Amino acid sequence: MKRLLIVVLALLAPAAARAHEIGKTQVTAVFHPGLLRLGSTAGTFQLDIVVDPDALLTKLEVYGERNVSKGLSRVERDRRIQALERVIIERVDVRFDGNRVTPRLQYLPSSALGDLAQAPSIVRLTGRVPAAAQHVRFAYGLALGSYALNVRVGVSPVQTFWLDGAQTSPAISLVAPPPPATSGEVARQYFGLGYTHILPLGLDHILFVVGIFLLSARWRSVLLQVSTFTVAHSITLGLTMYGIVSLPARVVEPMIALSIAYVAIENLMTNDLKPWRLALVFSFGLLHGMGFAGVLRELGLPRSQFLMALLTFNAGVEAGQLTVVALAFGAVAYWQRNSLTYRRFIVQPASLAIALAGLYWTVQRIM
């Protein structure tokens, strides 16, 4: 029940209106070379947890059995987080050879990182690695979704482990680098991440696809628009990830929200697939591709299998979009028998709701 309450409150937190949830929490763990020396020389470690401060405060107050704060300034919010640091320590589990250690904690608040309203905060954990430790396990009990644990041991390449919520990581060797992931493992991992970025985490992309679907109940219309959207966002996803094109998130995110509103508003004005509709869907697809690329940057693609991860992530996105279309067809199949009834009771109310959501997100992301 408590976990459910945390989920609900986190979703209602002001910063949670951004629809890209994957990548909000990231953990970078560095184990310094001292622990690799022969003999019993101890080493040190540092773990940086990138967090959404608004969601973090909500979880800390629920777990700490405090009243949930509302309407705090960024400075007040960060001070309250610092007052609840003990809850973070209780929910972080670092074990060397099965023995738990208590790290030192430093909270680096977003309010000290400039004027970006949605800047992340960093929870930094440091400590000593026990002498002759062979492996380490890590768990972050405040995570609600999937997140990346990026580990560097000495000068070894960074290894990425994907953990779900409070899941404990596999044993990470401190004396030998873990074997690199196979192509099949990378493909399964990034396909799943692409799919979950649409379902259930990509609410803005879901609403855009539903807005495309609502224009016409005919398969041809839906497939033309979805195919156009797919081609467009695949282009910018690849170009952006390879550093050929780039736009800042503060520009891309409001424009994605505005594209959602536009498609929905057009649904209220026409029920035919006009030539300019496909041109606009293509343009909006270019924007959404940059949004997908922003998520991939947060996730971090494996350098050795960059192309495989990029392609399978995109395939997962497409599978998620097709699932949305299939579910939408199934949900309105009965109403589609009568075009007038379908437009009056399904298309118009749903398009109005999507338009309002898109306009709300546009204003919020600009501000």
Side-chain angles (χ1 to χ4, degrees):
M1 184 66 183
K2 179 179 286 188
R3 184 177 176 84
L4 176 61
L5 177 59
I6 292 171
V7 173
V8 173
L9 291 173
L11 289 174
L12 293 176
R18 290 182 63 194
H20 303 306
E21 293 300 323
I22 298 178
K24 276 192 172 183
T25 298
Q26 295 180 73
V27 181
T28 300
V30 179
F31 298 90
H32 294 285
L35 63 94
L36 297 177
R37 298 172 187 165
L38 296 176
S40 59
T41 304
T44 60
F45 69 87
Q46 176 175 305
L47 295 105
D48 282 351
I49 307 175
V50 178
V51 296
D52 177 331
D54 293 294
L56 175 63
L57 177 57
T58 300
K59 290 180 279 189
L60 292 179
E61 290 178 326
V62 173
Y63 277 123
E65 299 181 352
R66 304 288 185 88
N67 293 328
V68 176
S69 302
K70 296 180 180 179
L72 297 179
S73 68
R74 285 187 296 146
V75 173
E76 292 170 335
R77 174 201 63 200
D78 291 329
R79 286 175 179 168
R80 187 154 178 79
I81 289 174
Q82 290 171 323
L84 292 168
E85 286 181 352
R86 65 168 183 82
V87 182
I88 302 177
I89 292 293
E90 292 170 358
R91 296 286 164 175
V92 171
D93 194 327
V94 182
R95 294 179 184 267
F96 293 95
D97 296 337
N99 300 311
R100 185 173 183 176
V101 299
T102 301
R104 294 182 295 276
L105 186 148
Q106 180 185 10
Y107 178 67
L108 306 176
S110 64
S111 57
L113 303 178
D115 294 327
L116 295 177
Q118 294 181 347
S121 295
I122 296 175
V123 174
R124 175 164 293 169
L125 304 169
T126 57
R128 303 286 293 176
V129 177
Q134 299 293 303
H135 62 78
V136 62
R137 294 179 185 270
F138 172 82
Y140 179 52
L142 294 174
L144 296 178
S146 298
Y147 68 93
L149 170 61
N150 301 300
V151 179
R152 183 187 293 277
V153 178
V155 295
S156 299
V158 173
Q159 296 290 317
T160 300
F161 302 86
W162 283 96
L163 303 179
D164 186 14
Q167 176 188 0
T168 300
S169 73
I172 302 168
S173 175
L174 298 175
V175 295
T182 65
S183 296
E185 290 171 340
V186 170
R188 287 192 297 272
Q189 184 178 78
Y190 281 86
F191 181 89
L193 290 170
Y195 188 91
T196 55
H197 182 58
I198 300 297
L199 283 175
L201 301 176
L203 181 56
D204 52 354
H205 297 301
I206 291 173
L207 292 187
F208 186 82
V209 172
V210 172
I212 288 175
F213 167 83
L214 288 172
L215 176 66
S216 172
R218 294 189 295 270
W219 270 103
R220 181 177 179 275
S221 172
V222 174
L223 290 178
L224 274 175
Q225 293 179 85
V226 171
S227 298
T228 300
F229 181 67
T230 295
V231 170
H233 78 63
S234 298
I235 291 172
T236 47
L237 174 59
L239 292 178
T240 305
M241 290 308 300
Y242 277 101
I244 298 174
V245 298
S246 179
L247 282 178
R250 66 178 180 272
V251 175
V252 173
E253 291 294 332
M255 292 180 71
I256 287 176
L258 190 60
S259 73
I260 297 167
Y262 180 90
V263 166
I265 292 170
E266 191 176 41
N267 290 345
L268 297 173
M269 302 174 65
T270 182
N271 58 357
D272 293 322
L273 181 61
K274 306 294 185 182
W276 68 76
R277 170 81 167 206
L278 290 178
L280 285 169
V281 168
F282 184 85
S283 301
F284 294 152
L286 296 176
L287 289 171
H288 284 248
M290 292 183 186
F292 294 139
V295 173
L296 274 182
R297 284 201 200 95
E298 293 176 343
L299 298 178
L301 294 176
R303 292 183 180 179
S304 61
Q305 302 196 51
F306 184 92
L307 184 59
M308 171 67 75
L310 179 61
L311 292 176
T312 52
F313 178 86
N314 195 51
V317 168
E318 300 319 311
Q321 292 175 168
L322 292 175
T323 301
V324 171
V325 171
L327 291 173
F329 266 111
V332 302
Y334 173 81
W335 297 91
Q336 287 177 334
R337 299 173 185 176
N338 186 314
S339 59
L340 293 178
T341 301
Y342 173 67
R343 181 163 181 79
R344 180 179 178 184
F345 292 102
I346 300 295
V347 175
Q348 292 179 341
S351 295
L352 179 60
I354 293 172
L356 292 174
L359 292 172
Y360 172 76
W361 283 333
T362 301
V363 173
Q364 185 191 54
R365 295 175 186 185
I366 290 173
M367 296 179 63

